[in-house]
Amino acid sequence: MELLQQKILNEGTVLSDHVLKVDAFLNHQIDPQLMVEVGKEFARRFQNDRITKVLTLESSGIAPAMMAALELGVPVIFARKRKSLTLVNDLLTASVYSFTKKETNEISVSQKFLEPTDNVLIIDDFLANGQAALGLASIVELAGAKTAGIGIVIEKSFQNGGKLLRNKGFKVESLARIQSLEGGKVTFGTEGQVPRPTIYSQNQETSVQEVGVGR
């Protein structure tokens, strides 16, 4: 998705070989127009999967999940990480380990919002090690429903999450796949082919781009 790649190149910051900061447009400050386009692209990719619910994890997944659900014409549910006084009974839960925060969260969804007849699209902002997506998929399974697919805004394909999910048979669609963050540079790869890095310039359009950011 070219618009998303340009946002990453222009406004993302590489903090290390494994960490990309995108708080300028995705997970702190949010670019609404970008989210509209993200939602449309997810809806296009999963239009034939008979989606009945969109499921995400608070809080960074809510914006792209909301836009995808709007385009698909279905409800969106977000799993809670924090305890709530009003969400205590009949909960579907899973434990999710965050490699970034080095902590384990118990996520929960009220059982009344997921039914065995649901085809669920899981949406999240990042895919690295795949633990959040697996946790959400386990909640779908506990409900007796089906995970129809997993939509990811940004996948770090140099980490093992994407391979893990795909090997388990999940349909995974990522709007931007990052092959490398080494040397403070973002290198994009494309699904289904071996990436061939090229140096990104403002006047050049390529399927694989490399540029230094956050120096």
Side-chain angles (χ1 to χ4, degrees):
M1 184 178 174
E2 185 176 350
L3 178 62
L4 176 59
Q5 289 187 354
Q6 291 297 330
K7 273 285 184 180
I8 294 169
L9 295 172
N10 295 335
E11 300 181 31
T13 303
V14 178
L15 299 182
S16 73
D17 288 353
H18 288 84
V19 180
L20 173 68
K21 187 177 181 181
V22 290
D23 64 346
F25 59 89
L26 180 57
N27 54 23
H28 191 29
Q29 176 173 267
I30 297 171
D31 183 330
Q33 189 56 51
L34 175 64
M35 289 303 102
V36 168
E37 297 305 318
V38 163
K40 289 179 180 178
E41 182 62 17
F42 278 137
R44 184 186 69 80
R45 296 192 186 197
F46 293 98
Q47 62 184 336
N48 297 321
D49 292 290
R50 299 180 180 178
I51 305 300
T52 61
K53 299 279 176 64
V54 172
L55 176 64
T56 190
L57 183 61
E58 68 172 347
S59 57
S60 299
I62 293 176
M66 178 69 76
M67 293 299 100
L70 181 65
E71 290 294 323
L72 290 165
V74 300
V76 58
I77 308 162
F78 67 87
R80 292 182 179 271
K81 295 179 184 177
R82 301 165 185 85
K83 299 292 183 182
S84 169
L85 293 176
T86 62
L87 190 67
V88 292
N89 297 319
D90 299 321
L91 298 181
L92 304 169
T93 63
S95 294
V96 173
Y97 180 73
S98 170
F99 287 85
T100 303
K101 297 180 180 178
K102 307 298 182 186
E103 64 183 24
T104 299
N105 291 299
E106 184 177 84
I107 64 173
S108 57
V109 171
S110 175
Q111 190 171 351
K112 69 180 180 180
F113 295 129
L114 284 174
E115 300 177 356
T117 54
D118 279 324
N119 282 327
V120 181
L121 171 59
I122 292 171
I123 297 286
D124 207 2
D125 61 336
F126 266 97
L127 173 58
N129 293 286
Q131 297 307 298
L134 283 176
L136 292 169
S138 72
I139 285 178
V140 174
E141 184 177 2
L142 285 173
K146 176 187 176 183
T147 297
I150 299 172
I152 302 296
V153 181
I154 301 171
E155 176 183 347
K156 292 188 283 186
S157 58
F158 56 87
Q159 294 184 263
N160 64 1
K163 182 179 180 181
L164 175 66
L165 295 175
R166 293 179 178 98
N167 284 346
K168 287 182 175 291
F170 292 111
K171 175 183 177 179
V172 181
E173 293 284 347
S174 302
L175 304 191
R177 296 189 73 198
I178 295 177
Q179 180 193 0
S180 172
L181 296 172
E182 293 179 3
K185 296 178 180 180
V186 178
T187 305
F188 291 110
T190 53
E191 226 167 341
Q193 64 187 66
V194 178
R196 294 178 298 170
T198 59
I199 301 300
Y200 171 81
S201 67
Q202 293 294 332
N203 297 319
Q204 181 181 15
E205 293 185 1
T206 59
S207 61
V208 182
Q209 305 161 340
E210 186 175 287
V211 66
V213 297
R215 294 175 180 171

